[in-house]
Amino acid sequence: MRAPAPTPKRTVYTEAMEIFHRAADLIALDKRVRLELEEPDYEHIFYVTAKLKDRLVPLSEEKARTFSNLPETQVRNKEGLELLANGNIILNGRALLGSDVDIRQGHLRLPDGKVYQLVPGESQRFKAYRVQHNQARGPYKGGLRYHREVSLDLFKALAAEMTWKTAIAEVPFGGGKGGIQIDPREYGREEIEAITLRFMYRLKSMIGPDIDIPAPDVGTNPGIMALLYRQYSDGERERHNLRGIVTGKDVRIGGSEGRHKATGQGVAFCIEDYYADRGESVKGKTFIIQGFGNVGSHAANILSQMGARLLAVNDADGTIFNGDGIDVTALSAYVQDPKNLKRSVLGFPGAQRIEKKDLWDVQADILVPAALGGEITADVAERLRVKLVAEGANGPTTPEADRILEKRGIELIPDIIANAGGVTVSYYEWIQNKRMERWSEAEVDQRLERAMKRNYRIIRDISRNQPRKTEMHDSRQYCIGETVDTRCAAMILALKRIEAHYLLEGFSQ
Ligand code: NAD
């Protein structure tokens, strides 16, 4: 007797692909195109090693008692001590040279009164990934994430999402994603630099400005992009022609004006258009946000400039609430303060602390999830007291939660359009690099606004089955003769655009 076929395991990737299959069925996606898109083109897993620095690790109060009569070490070169978010201190340069160091069994006491164990720097190995999902429409494109909770499965889901997003944004790229399994807040500046350079040393054979173009994501930023660019182009004769190897760079070294805020700006443009369509405005609306990093803080800033009021924020370290409205400028300054090592909203004086679970009960017009995936679970979806969810994060809503939101009449602006502002301006950066041009912020914002709103309107038309051509957009070739939910509509737009490349160009043999 034959054993029954095993039930396919449910993973982040299979969950993320549910919407792909639903949309593919609805439009009867060409079978071969479906096979091409179901799995990534390439999945790279590799390892990055780096030599860590010596560090001081604080002892618990109980253990520190053993050293109660240990005198304080007077540190001459305080600049050399780098305090990390987890309380460890990296010894940079010759931090303790010339100091009166009193070490007992590898322990010393600093002027802060705490006892630290001196841990010599050793070499460490980190797991790294790059998934290249699809390049039918152009070079692979997608961010690099430095985070403790990453996996091949997660990067597959995020890379596929980039394929859909670049098609929706109508930029000539495919999809990719990658990163390192690491909590960057536990490493010093020079360690992160060494890990990043080694990462690019390994990545170099897989990517290129016309092959695969990384960008910032969770835990990475323009500083990391600068290091990646340098390592990629080091020693190359035409290094100025290689600037397009990464996007999201500082504007002073070939980044684009408006890129840093672009994802948050795109989220805000979508929300603005959502209300404009209903004859309303963002002004006077209230919102709550999860994640106050790049996407969350810029979205909050721009929405508040549009006249909306921020009521609550949750991040990795805690949640804050103020029913009268949180001053977003003051909150951004608080989070950016170098003394705020965790870059957290926690402790902000202009709001009270609440529990994370209470965030979902705050009554507001809009929720912007802008942290990690899978946060809006079925439970959360049942509790939410908002009217609109605008997904700044990638994959924040589980498929069960999606169905509950729909049943409860909570509207959705799905991630693949809502957060497409980042990759859209990354494309502008890439063009500027290729052409050696420099566009103004106003020009970038204007192009971005048109691109976001044009594609969002096409998605709304698909959803309502309202084919039409206006001065701004043309949805006639995308509507499918029946109404569908917005997430499915966005996927239909992506798949129709990708399918056209395969069907018109054919398949190489
Ligand atoms: P970031 O590292 O700048 O900020 C991440 C934020 O999420 C921080 O405030 C952090 O405290 C918070 N966070 C982390 N873990 C959390 C948890 N378990 N619970 C609550 N909050 C948590 O990252 P970012 O660039 O702002 O990216 C945020 C999301 O937006 C990610 O899903 C990313 O994939 C997506 N995204 C980013 C861009 C971009 O241009 N940066 C573009 C498209 C999509």
PDB file of all heavy atoms in Angstrom, residues 28-50:
ATOM      1  N   ALA A  28      -6.339  32.836 -13.939  1.00  0.00           N
ATOM      2  CA  ALA A  28      -5.863  31.680 -14.709  1.00  0.00           C
ATOM      3  C   ALA A  28      -4.465  31.966 -15.257  1.00  0.00           C
ATOM      4  O   ALA A  28      -4.216  31.911 -16.473  1.00  0.00           O
ATOM      5  CB  ALA A  28      -6.838  31.352 -15.848  1.00  0.00           C
ATOM      6  N   LEU A  29      -3.568  32.283 -14.325  1.00  0.00           N
ATOM      7  CA  LEU A  29      -2.177  32.597 -14.683  1.00  0.00           C
ATOM      8  C   LEU A  29      -1.584  31.450 -15.496  1.00  0.00           C
ATOM      9  O   LEU A  29      -1.798  30.273 -15.171  1.00  0.00           O
ATOM     10  CB  LEU A  29      -1.361  32.793 -13.388  1.00  0.00           C
ATOM     11  CG  LEU A  29       0.094  33.194 -13.556  1.00  0.00           C
ATOM     12  CD1 LEU A  29       0.220  34.643 -14.030  1.00  0.00           C
ATOM     13  CD2 LEU A  29       0.855  33.039 -12.225  1.00  0.00           C
ATOM     14  N   ASP A  30      -0.865  31.797 -16.539  1.00  0.00           N
ATOM     15  CA  ASP A  30      -0.217  30.791 -17.380  1.00  0.00           C
ATOM     16  C   ASP A  30       0.538  29.780 -16.501  1.00  0.00           C
ATOM     17  O   ASP A  30       1.270  30.165 -15.586  1.00  0.00           O
ATOM     18  CB  ASP A  30       0.769  31.519 -18.312  1.00  0.00           C
ATOM     19  CG  ASP A  30       1.525  30.550 -19.183  1.00  0.00           C
ATOM     20  OD1 ASP A  30       1.016  30.216 -20.256  1.00  0.00           O
ATOM     21  OD2 ASP A  30       2.635  30.108 -18.757  1.00  0.00           O
ATOM     22  N   LYS A  31       0.353  28.495 -16.808  1.00  0.00           N
ATOM     23  CA  LYS A  31       0.871  27.434 -15.922  1.00  0.00           C
ATOM     24  C   LYS A  31       2.387  27.494 -15.755  1.00  0.00           C
ATOM     25  O   LYS A  31       2.922  27.309 -14.671  1.00  0.00           O
ATOM     26  CB  LYS A  31       0.480  26.061 -16.469  1.00  0.00           C
ATOM     27  CG  LYS A  31      -0.925  25.689 -16.078  1.00  0.00           C
ATOM     28  CD  LYS A  31      -1.114  24.183 -16.181  1.00  0.00           C
ATOM     29  CE  LYS A  31      -2.549  23.818 -15.825  1.00  0.00           C
ATOM     30  NZ  LYS A  31      -3.277  23.208 -16.936  1.00  0.00           N
ATOM     31  N   ARG A  32       3.067  27.770 -16.866  1.00  0.00           N
ATOM     32  CA  ARG A  32       4.538  27.774 -16.768  1.00  0.00           C
ATOM     33  C   ARG A  32       5.012  29.006 -15.990  1.00  0.00           C
ATOM     34  O   ARG A  32       5.966  28.931 -15.216  1.00  0.00           O
ATOM     35  CB  ARG A  32       5.142  27.745 -18.175  1.00  0.00           C
ATOM     36  CG  ARG A  32       6.626  27.624 -18.111  1.00  0.00           C
ATOM     37  CD  ARG A  32       7.212  27.022 -19.346  1.00  0.00           C
ATOM     38  NE  ARG A  32       8.652  27.057 -19.270  1.00  0.00           N
ATOM     39  CZ  ARG A  32       9.438  26.903 -20.315  1.00  0.00           C
ATOM     40  NH1 ARG A  32       8.919  26.692 -21.507  1.00  0.00           N
ATOM     41  NH2 ARG A  32      10.749  26.952 -20.185  1.00  0.00           N
ATOM     42  N   VAL A  33       4.320  30.125 -16.194  1.00  0.00           N
ATOM     43  CA  VAL A  33       4.686  31.335 -15.437  1.00  0.00           C
ATOM     44  C   VAL A  33       4.488  31.064 -13.939  1.00  0.00           C
ATOM     45  O   VAL A  33       5.299  31.455 -13.103  1.00  0.00           O
ATOM     46  CB  VAL A  33       3.820  32.538 -15.895  1.00  0.00           C
ATOM     47  CG1 VAL A  33       4.094  33.756 -15.028  1.00  0.00           C
ATOM     48  CG2 VAL A  33       4.066  32.847 -17.364  1.00  0.00           C
ATOM     49  N   ARG A  34       3.423  30.337 -13.645  1.00  0.00           N
ATOM     50  CA  ARG A  34       3.144  30.013 -12.241  1.00  0.00           C
ATOM     51  C   ARG A  34       4.272  29.185 -11.627  1.00  0.00           C
ATOM     52  O   ARG A  34       4.729  29.456 -10.524  1.00  0.00           O
ATOM     53  CB  ARG A  34       1.818  29.252 -12.187  1.00  0.00           C
ATOM     54  CG  ARG A  34       1.296  29.080 -10.796  1.00  0.00           C
ATOM     55  CD  ARG A  34      -0.120  28.549 -10.868  1.00  0.00           C
ATOM     56  NE  ARG A  34      -0.647  28.331  -9.559  1.00  0.00           N
ATOM     57  CZ  ARG A  34      -1.927  28.478  -9.254  1.00  0.00           C
ATOM     58  NH1 ARG A  34      -2.789  28.866 -10.152  1.00  0.00           N
ATOM     59  NH2 ARG A  34      -2.329  28.251  -8.030  1.00  0.00           N
ATOM     60  N   LEU A  35       4.742  28.217 -12.394  1.00  0.00           N
ATOM     61  CA  LEU A  35       5.861  27.394 -11.905  1.00  0.00           C
ATOM     62  C   LEU A  35       7.114  28.235 -11.698  1.00  0.00           C
ATOM     63  O   LEU A  35       7.858  28.071 -10.740  1.00  0.00           O
ATOM     64  CB  LEU A  35       6.172  26.271 -12.895  1.00  0.00           C
ATOM     65  CG  LEU A  35       5.174  25.114 -12.963  1.00  0.00           C
ATOM     66  CD1 LEU A  35       5.596  24.128 -14.048  1.00  0.00           C
ATOM     67  CD2 LEU A  35       5.096  24.399 -11.619  1.00  0.00           C
ATOM     68  N   GLU A  36       7.336  29.165 -12.645  1.00  0.00           N
ATOM     69  CA  GLU A  36       8.519  30.034 -12.544  1.00  0.00           C
ATOM     70  C   GLU A  36       8.472  30.880 -11.267  1.00  0.00           C
ATOM     71  O   GLU A  36       9.498  31.176 -10.671  1.00  0.00           O
ATOM     72  CB  GLU A  36       8.591  30.987 -13.753  1.00  0.00           C
ATOM     73  CG  GLU A  36       8.924  30.304 -15.063  1.00  0.00           C
ATOM     74  CD  GLU A  36      10.425  30.131 -15.270  1.00  0.00           C
ATOM     75  OE1 GLU A  36      11.198  30.936 -14.740  1.00  0.00           O
ATOM     76  OE2 GLU A  36      10.816  29.168 -15.969  1.00  0.00           O
ATOM     77  N   LEU A  37       7.258  31.286 -10.891  1.00  0.00           N
ATOM     78  CA  LEU A  37       7.126  32.234  -9.778  1.00  0.00           C
ATOM     79  C   LEU A  37       6.936  31.565  -8.413  1.00  0.00           C
ATOM     80  O   LEU A  37       7.118  32.199  -7.381  1.00  0.00           O
ATOM     81  CB  LEU A  37       5.942  33.182 -10.034  1.00  0.00           C
ATOM     82  CG  LEU A  37       6.142  34.172 -11.181  1.00  0.00           C
ATOM     83  CD1 LEU A  37       4.831  34.888 -11.502  1.00  0.00           C
ATOM     84  CD2 LEU A  37       7.221  35.194 -10.835  1.00  0.00           C
ATOM     85  N   GLU A  38       6.568  30.285  -8.437  1.00  0.00           N
ATOM     86  CA  GLU A  38       6.250  29.597  -7.173  1.00  0.00           C
ATOM     87  C   GLU A  38       7.446  29.437  -6.246  1.00  0.00           C
ATOM     88  O   GLU A  38       7.307  29.403  -5.039  1.00  0.00           O
ATOM     89  CB  GLU A  38       5.683  28.211  -7.475  1.00  0.00           C
ATOM     90  CG  GLU A  38       4.185  28.187  -7.384  1.00  0.00           C
ATOM     91  CD  GLU A  38       3.619  26.862  -7.855  1.00  0.00           C
ATOM     92  OE1 GLU A  38       4.384  25.896  -8.056  1.00  0.00           O
ATOM     93  OE2 GLU A  38       2.407  26.812  -8.038  1.00  0.00           O
ATOM     94  N   GLU A  39       8.627  29.307  -6.841  1.00  0.00           N
ATOM     95  CA  GLU A  39       9.842  29.160  -6.030  1.00  0.00           C
ATOM     96  C   GLU A  39      10.882  30.158  -6.539  1.00  0.00           C
ATOM     97  O   GLU A  39      10.857  30.545  -7.705  1.00  0.00           O
ATOM     98  CB  GLU A  39      10.409  27.731  -6.154  1.00  0.00           C
ATOM     99  CG  GLU A  39       9.543  26.649  -5.537  1.00  0.00           C
ATOM    100  CD  GLU A  39       9.477  26.708  -4.013  1.00  0.00           C
ATOM    101  OE1 GLU A  39      10.391  27.291  -3.388  1.00  0.00           O
ATOM    102  OE2 GLU A  39       8.505  26.168  -3.454  1.00  0.00           O
ATOM    103  N   PRO A  40      11.829  30.561  -5.668  1.00  0.00           N
ATOM    104  CA  PRO A  40      12.846  31.540  -6.095  1.00  0.00           C
ATOM    105  C   PRO A  40      13.782  30.975  -7.155  1.00  0.00           C
ATOM    106  O   PRO A  40      13.972  29.761  -7.233  1.00  0.00           O
ATOM    107  CB  PRO A  40      13.633  31.832  -4.805  1.00  0.00           C
ATOM    108  CG  PRO A  40      12.884  31.212  -3.701  1.00  0.00           C
ATOM    109  CD  PRO A  40      11.997  30.156  -4.261  1.00  0.00           C
ATOM    110  N   ASP A  41      14.406  31.872  -7.920  1.00  0.00           N
ATOM    111  CA  ASP A  41      15.419  31.450  -8.888  1.00  0.00           C
ATOM    112  C   ASP A  41      16.620  30.851  -8.153  1.00  0.00           C
ATOM    113  O   ASP A  41      17.122  29.798  -8.516  1.00  0.00           O
ATOM    114  CB  ASP A  41      15.917  32.656  -9.695  1.00  0.00           C
ATOM    115  CG  ASP A  41      14.869  33.151 -10.685  1.00  0.00           C
ATOM    116  OD1 ASP A  41      13.848  32.459 -10.873  1.00  0.00           O
ATOM    117  OD2 ASP A  41      15.084  34.247 -11.259  1.00  0.00           O
ATOM    118  N   TYR A  42      17.123  31.566  -7.156  1.00  0.00           N
ATOM    119  CA  TYR A  42      18.313  31.118  -6.410  1.00  0.00           C
ATOM    120  C   TYR A  42      18.145  31.372  -4.915  1.00  0.00           C
ATOM    121  O   TYR A  42      17.583  32.397  -4.520  1.00  0.00           O
ATOM    122  CB  TYR A  42      19.577  31.874  -6.875  1.00  0.00           C
ATOM    123  CG  TYR A  42      19.827  31.762  -8.357  1.00  0.00           C
ATOM    124  CD1 TYR A  42      19.460  32.798  -9.215  1.00  0.00           C
ATOM    125  CD2 TYR A  42      20.411  30.622  -8.896  1.00  0.00           C
ATOM    126  CE1 TYR A  42      19.671  32.702 -10.592  1.00  0.00           C
ATOM    127  CE2 TYR A  42      20.630  30.516 -10.265  1.00  0.00           C
ATOM    128  CZ  TYR A  42      20.250  31.566 -11.103  1.00  0.00           C
ATOM    129  OH  TYR A  42      20.462  31.451 -12.446  1.00  0.00           O
ATOM    130  N   GLU A  43      18.656  30.435  -4.107  1.00  0.00           N
ATOM    131  CA  GLU A  43      18.643  30.614  -2.652  1.00  0.00           C
ATOM    132  C   GLU A  43      20.075  30.437  -2.163  1.00  0.00           C
ATOM    133  O   GLU A  43      20.605  29.334  -2.213  1.00  0.00           O
ATOM    134  CB  GLU A  43      17.763  29.545  -1.989  1.00  0.00           C
ATOM    135  CG  GLU A  43      16.319  29.582  -2.446  1.00  0.00           C
ATOM    136  CD  GLU A  43      15.535  28.340  -2.006  1.00  0.00           C
ATOM    137  OE1 GLU A  43      16.080  27.511  -1.249  1.00  0.00           O
ATOM    138  OE2 GLU A  43      14.379  28.219  -2.435  1.00  0.00           O
ATOM    139  N   HIS A  44      20.696  31.505  -1.754  1.00  0.00           N
ATOM    140  CA  HIS A  44      22.080  31.412  -1.275  1.00  0.00           C
ATOM    141  C   HIS A  44      22.111  31.448   0.249  1.00  0.00           C
ATOM    142  O   HIS A  44      21.540  32.350   0.848  1.00  0.00           O
ATOM    143  CB  HIS A  44      22.919  32.595  -1.772  1.00  0.00           C
ATOM    144  CG  HIS A  44      22.881  32.794  -3.251  1.00  0.00           C
ATOM    145  ND1 HIS A  44      23.692  32.095  -4.112  1.00  0.00           N
ATOM    146  CD2 HIS A  44      22.139  33.611  -4.034  1.00  0.00           C
ATOM    147  CE1 HIS A  44      23.463  32.486  -5.363  1.00  0.00           C
ATOM    148  NE2 HIS A  44      22.515  33.402  -5.340  1.00  0.00           N
ATOM    149  N   ILE A  45      22.813  30.465   0.829  1.00  0.00           N
ATOM    150  CA  ILE A  45      23.097  30.521   2.261  1.00  0.00           C
ATOM    151  C   ILE A  45      24.605  30.464   2.385  1.00  0.00           C
ATOM    152  O   ILE A  45      25.250  29.622   1.754  1.00  0.00           O
ATOM    153  CB  ILE A  45      22.493  29.324   3.025  1.00  0.00           C
ATOM    154  CG1 ILE A  45      20.977  29.362   2.939  1.00  0.00           C
ATOM    155  CG2 ILE A  45      22.933  29.358   4.492  1.00  0.00           C
ATOM    156  CD1 ILE A  45      20.299  28.250   3.730  1.00  0.00           C
ATOM    157  N   PHE A  46      25.173  31.362   3.147  1.00  0.00           N
ATOM    158  CA  PHE A  46      26.625  31.347   3.302  1.00  0.00           C
ATOM    159  C   PHE A  46      26.990  31.882   4.681  1.00  0.00           C
ATOM    160  O   PHE A  46      26.102  32.250   5.456  1.00  0.00           O
ATOM    161  CB  PHE A  46      27.305  32.152   2.174  1.00  0.00           C
ATOM    162  CG  PHE A  46      26.748  33.526   1.949  1.00  0.00           C
ATOM    163  CD1 PHE A  46      27.432  34.652   2.373  1.00  0.00           C
ATOM    164  CD2 PHE A  46      25.526  33.713   1.318  1.00  0.00           C
ATOM    165  CE1 PHE A  46      26.928  35.926   2.160  1.00  0.00           C
ATOM    166  CE2 PHE A  46      24.999  34.980   1.110  1.00  0.00           C
ATOM    167  CZ  PHE A  46      25.700  36.083   1.525  1.00  0.00           C
ATOM    168  N   TYR A  47      28.270  31.889   4.971  1.00  0.00           N
ATOM    169  CA  TYR A  47      28.691  32.263   6.327  1.00  0.00           C
ATOM    170  C   TYR A  47      29.707  33.390   6.283  1.00  0.00           C
ATOM    171  O   TYR A  47      30.515  33.476   5.367  1.00  0.00           O
ATOM    172  CB  TYR A  47      29.258  31.036   7.058  1.00  0.00           C
ATOM    173  CG  TYR A  47      28.168  30.018   7.295  1.00  0.00           C
ATOM    174  CD1 TYR A  47      27.878  29.052   6.342  1.00  0.00           C
ATOM    175  CD2 TYR A  47      27.382  30.080   8.438  1.00  0.00           C
ATOM    176  CE1 TYR A  47      26.844  28.151   6.531  1.00  0.00           C
ATOM    177  CE2 TYR A  47      26.344  29.189   8.638  1.00  0.00           C
ATOM    178  CZ  TYR A  47      26.085  28.222   7.683  1.00  0.00           C
ATOM    179  OH  TYR A  47      25.052  27.347   7.874  1.00  0.00           O
ATOM    180  N   VAL A  48      29.595  34.244   7.268  1.00  0.00           N
ATOM    181  CA  VAL A  48      30.474  35.401   7.358  1.00  0.00           C
ATOM    182  C   VAL A  48      31.193  35.291   8.693  1.00  0.00           C
ATOM    183  O   VAL A  48      30.545  35.100   9.721  1.00  0.00           O
ATOM    184  CB  VAL A  48      29.626  36.693   7.338  1.00  0.00           C
ATOM    185  CG1 VAL A  48      30.480  37.909   7.619  1.00  0.00           C
ATOM    186  CG2 VAL A  48      28.860  36.831   6.031  1.00  0.00           C
ATOM    187  N   THR A  49      32.518  35.377   8.679  1.00  0.00           N
ATOM    188  CA  THR A  49      33.236  35.335   9.958  1.00  0.00           C
ATOM    189  C   THR A  49      33.848  36.704  10.227  1.00  0.00           C
ATOM    190  O   THR A  49      34.148  37.450   9.295  1.00  0.00           O
ATOM    191  CB  THR A  49      34.363  34.288   9.933  1.00  0.00           C
ATOM    192  OG1 THR A  49      35.227  34.596   8.835  1.00  0.00           O
ATOM    193  CG2 THR A  49      33.827  32.890   9.777  1.00  0.00           C
ATOM    194  N   ALA A  50      34.005  37.021  11.485  1.00  0.00           N
ATOM    195  CA  ALA A  50      34.642  38.293  11.837  1.00  0.00           C
ATOM    196  C   ALA A  50      35.309  38.147  13.195  1.00  0.00           C
ATOM    197  O   ALA A  50      34.868  37.358  14.035  1.00  0.00           O
ATOM    198  CB  ALA A  50      33.612  39.408  11.869  1.00  0.00           C
TER     199      ALA A  50
END
